[in-house]
Amino acid sequence: MKLVDRVSIFFLATLAVVLLGISVAVYLIVRDQLYDRFDEQLQAAFHTLVAAIEVETDDVKWEPSDHTVTLGRVNEPDEARWVVVDEAGQIMDRSGNLGDTPSDRQLLELALKPATAIDQKIEMPPWRVMRQTLAAVEPKAPELRDPLERERLTVTAAMSTERVETALTRLAIWLSILSPATWLLTAICGRWIVRRALAPLTRMTTEVRQLGPVDSGKRLPVRESRDELAELAISFNDLLDRLFDAFDRQRRFAGDAAHQLRTPLTVLLGETDVALRKPRTAEEYARTLEVLRGQIVQLNEIVESLLLLARPEPELSAVDFDDVELRSWLEEYLLQWKTHPRRRDLSLEPSGKVSARISQTLLAQVLDNLISNAFKYSEPGSPVLVTLVDRGQQVAISVADRGMGISRAEQRDIFQAFYRSQNARQSGQPGVGLGLTIVARLVEALGGKIACESEPGRGTTFRVELPKAR
Ligand code: ADP
């Protein structure tokens, strides 16, 4: 479902609930108010009627003229209807508006029935009825009474709820028209507003669809309003910049890798072709195989390096880490160089004991690369010094040589894949420029940092800083 539809549906469903709630609340409040006023009116009329009865100990007297009971006299249909009946079921008086309709007759019938209680409130749609019986405590004998004196009088007053009900029905009709109409109007306008508000998102989607895998320099337009959509566009553009940059580096890397693989392969092919051109002596074949082996070793090194660089960071960091005392570890590690032609040039500077949290495999690979570079790029007989320094939170291991050095401008690039300095290339030393790239990756996986200090013609020091053991 589209976002426009989802937002619209949510918004309209909420509105429907709100409108329904408001309508029901309005209806109930108005109904309460109308019935309150209705009851007040009926009660006022009823009390006026009851007040018109004079209650003595021995008789009760209906005296409307003394108490100016004008209710219902002028036939007003909305006023209370009432009947005063004596103990014999004789109508003493009645309101003029009590007509001859079936409901009026029904009310009259009720009024003529003897009251079952002194005070009664009766619901007899459409009537709301109030009845009260007033009686003499010690009634005198009927023959001693005046014509207007009675033993007991029952007042019945009622008002029709028809007017209230009609008003309420009208209100209900209005509410049930107005609420859906409001809802419909909002649905039409709301959908248009939501569509307009989300239009930049739709535009962004179209723009994104047009983006290809090659950086055309095309980016998402950023709205001036600087709202959430503008922020999204900025973030997305940043991501695109980083991705295209990464793509670019990846492509160059693949190109460089292919280039580096091509050289040994060309030599392999050339040597094989030359060897196959005519029959050779066993020595000649052996020499060719020797050359081929050298190239295969180089190919193997490149492929191994590429495989290592292709390994994702978490996989590298997943190797076992231990707290290792580095002085002893370095002494032991350096033993593996004891068969190297320049073993006498390599030395470990005396230091105190210090531990770091390392992966021994990764650190050994780092030092292998740094020491073999130091040998490669310095004259035989010149010293290569390994130093261990405690730097508070960190431990630094340095590999320093007194070789050709690296110019300041080139120091920035030496960690890039396939980069080789001018001097290195001219020196004729073999290499593909992946060693330091791997070292940088490994040091990162070790949680450390690497730095290079060098002066052309004087020597180079690579310093690896590692976090100390906890
Ligand atoms: P490679 O040694 O195969 O060329 P590396 O990645 O190990 O590749 O090194 C990259 C470049 O950095 C080298 O080509 C060289 O120019 C420079 N370099 C590395 N170590 C040293 C060093 N100890 N002295 C001088 N230059 C060095």
Side-chain angles (χ1 to χ4, degrees):
M1 193 191 281
K2 283 189 164 184
L3 189 58
V4 176
D5 297 327
R6 253 199 336 251
V7 173
S8 303
I9 286 174
F10 173 75
F11 174 63
L12 290 175
T14 313
L15 184 69
V17 173
V18 169
L19 282 174
L20 187 73
I22 290 178
S23 302
V24 171
V26 166
Y27 180 82
L28 292 178
I29 291 169
V30 170
R31 195 185 66 165
D32 276 2
Q33 290 278 330
L34 287 179
Y35 271 113
D36 278 355
R37 275 184 45 200
F38 175 90
D39 285 343
E40 273 170 24
Q41 229 178 316
L42 177 60
Q43 246 159 24
F46 187 69
H47 287 142
T48 312
L49 293 166
V50 171
I53 295 174
E54 262 190 41
V55 184
E56 305 283 341
T57 326
D58 50 1
D59 65 62
V60 287
K61 232 187 278 171
W62 169 245
E63 288 192 325
S65 45
D66 285 8
H67 297 275
T68 57
V69 174
T70 54
L71 280 167
R73 296 286 190 210
V74 280
N75 245 349
E76 279 171 16
D78 294 336
E79 268 193 10
R81 285 153 170 75
W82 52 268
V83 186
V84 181
V85 178
D86 67 8
E87 68 276 8
Q90 294 278 321
I91 296 175
M92 293 288 292
D93 202 351
R94 53 183 272 183
S95 61
N97 56 4
L98 189 63
D100 201 27
T101 62
S103 63
D104 281 2
R105 277 205 299 278
Q106 192 190 7
L107 179 64
L108 195 59
E109 260 171 46
L110 175 77
L112 292 174
K113 275 189 205 156
T116 51
I118 295 174
D119 270 309
Q120 272 184 296
K121 278 188 181 164
I122 302 164
E123 288 282 345
M124 192 179 71
W127 303 107
R128 247 181 205 198
V129 187
M130 290 179 85
R131 299 188 83 192
Q132 192 172 354
T133 302
L134 297 117
V137 188
E138 292 166 6
K140 52 185 166 189
E143 57 277 13
L144 298 177
R145 285 189 210 138
D146 279 354
L148 284 175
E149 288 175 350
R150 294 289 187 278
E151 181 190 326
R152 198 170 62 235
L153 286 173
T154 301
V155 184
T156 304
M159 263 171 69
S160 168
T161 55
E162 257 168 24
R163 224 170 74 126
V164 175
E165 287 299 328
T166 312
L168 286 176
T169 310
R170 213 174 300 145
L171 176 69
I173 291 170
W174 272 113
L175 286 174
S176 48
I177 292 172
L178 281 179
S179 297
T182 313
W183 187 87
L184 205 69
L185 197 73
T186 319
I188 295 165
C189 298
R191 213 182 142 69
W192 180 76
I193 291 169
V194 172
R195 209 186 273 278
R196 251 188 82 111
L198 294 179
L201 206 60
T202 318
R203 269 202 301 278
M204 274 159 85
T205 315
T206 319
E207 301 265 353
V208 170
R209 275 209 197 104
Q210 286 166 359
L211 290 174
V214 181
D215 188 6
S216 57
K218 216 171 170 186
R219 296 289 182 269
L220 296 184
V222 179
R223 282 149 63 90
E224 275 173 22
S225 55
R226 295 273 145 181
D227 54 10
E228 287 87 344
L229 290 178
E231 274 170 32
L232 178 68
I234 291 171
S235 310
F236 195 82
N237 286 344
D238 281 350
L239 176 71
L240 282 182
D241 286 344
R242 277 179 280 135
L243 279 181
F244 280 130
D245 197 40
F247 273 156
D248 212 38
R249 265 183 288 134
Q250 206 69 35
R251 214 180 354 240
R252 260 185 284 135
F253 183 83
D256 288 344
H259 185 76
Q260 292 299 330
L261 291 170
R262 200 165 59 183
T263 317
L265 282 175
T266 315
V267 177
L268 280 179
L269 208 61
E271 288 288 328
T272 324
D273 285 347
V274 172
L276 290 175
R277 211 166 284 155
K278 57 178 186 177
R280 308 268 172 193
T281 61
E283 289 79 42
E284 279 174 320
Y285 282 130
R287 195 200 58 79
T288 308
L289 282 175
E290 199 58 43
V291 174
L292 296 189
R293 192 180 180 283
Q295 294 305 316
I296 291 168
V297 167
Q298 199 185 340
L299 266 177
N300 193 43
E301 267 174 29
I302 298 174
V303 171
E304 285 299 323
S305 306
L306 290 176
L307 279 176
L308 195 136
L309 286 173
R311 276 164 74 180
E313 187 66 39
E315 205 180 293
L316 279 180
S317 315
V319 258
D320 294 341
F321 276 69
D322 311 296
D323 288 344
V324 177
E325 197 288 295
L326 284 179
R327 195 183 68 180
S328 318
W329 184 83
L330 277 174
E331 282 166 359
E332 202 176 312
Y333 161 78
L334 289 176
L335 291 180
Q336 73 182 56
W337 290 90
K338 72 175 186 279
T339 51
H340 193 272
R342 288 187 61 188
R343 61 191 173 277
R344 282 180 220 293
D345 298 340
L346 184 63
S347 58
L348 174 66
E349 192 161 285
S351 71
K353 289 191 170 195
V354 54
S355 296
R357 189 160 186 78
I358 54 153
S359 147
Q360 302 184 33
T361 329
L362 296 189
L363 186 59
Q365 265 178 287
V366 168
L367 291 178
D368 285 352
N369 274 297
L370 294 179
I371 294 172
S372 66
N373 272 354
F375 283 151
K376 252 188 350 192
Y377 301 113
S378 67
E379 288 301 322
S382 67
V384 170
L385 191 62
V386 179
T387 324
L388 176 67
V389 182
D390 185 343
R391 294 179 154 236
Q393 301 280 66
Q394 310 282 321
V395 183
I397 301 175
S398 307
V399 177
D401 63 61
R402 303 236 184 100
M404 61 173 67
I406 311 162
S407 73
R408 189 166 280 275
E410 287 176 311
Q411 281 174 32
R412 264 181 292 131
D413 300 322
I414 50 171
F415 294 101
Q416 302 281 343
F418 303 109
Y419 184 84
R420 302 199 76 204
S421 71
Q422 185 95 22
N423 282 345
R425 272 182 270 128
Q426 283 167 358
S427 71
Q429 286 290 354
V432 283
L434 284 175
L436 286 182
T437 316
I438 290 173
V439 165
R441 278 289 302 277
L442 297 179
V443 170
E444 203 183 327
L446 281 162
K449 279 188 198 139
I450 181 156
C452 166
E453 277 168 30
S454 184
E455 221 176 295
R458 293 194 150 226
T460 307
T461 303
F462 281 98
R463 196 177 56 247
V464 177
E465 286 193 2
L466 299 168
K468 244 184 177 177
R470 267 175 265 150

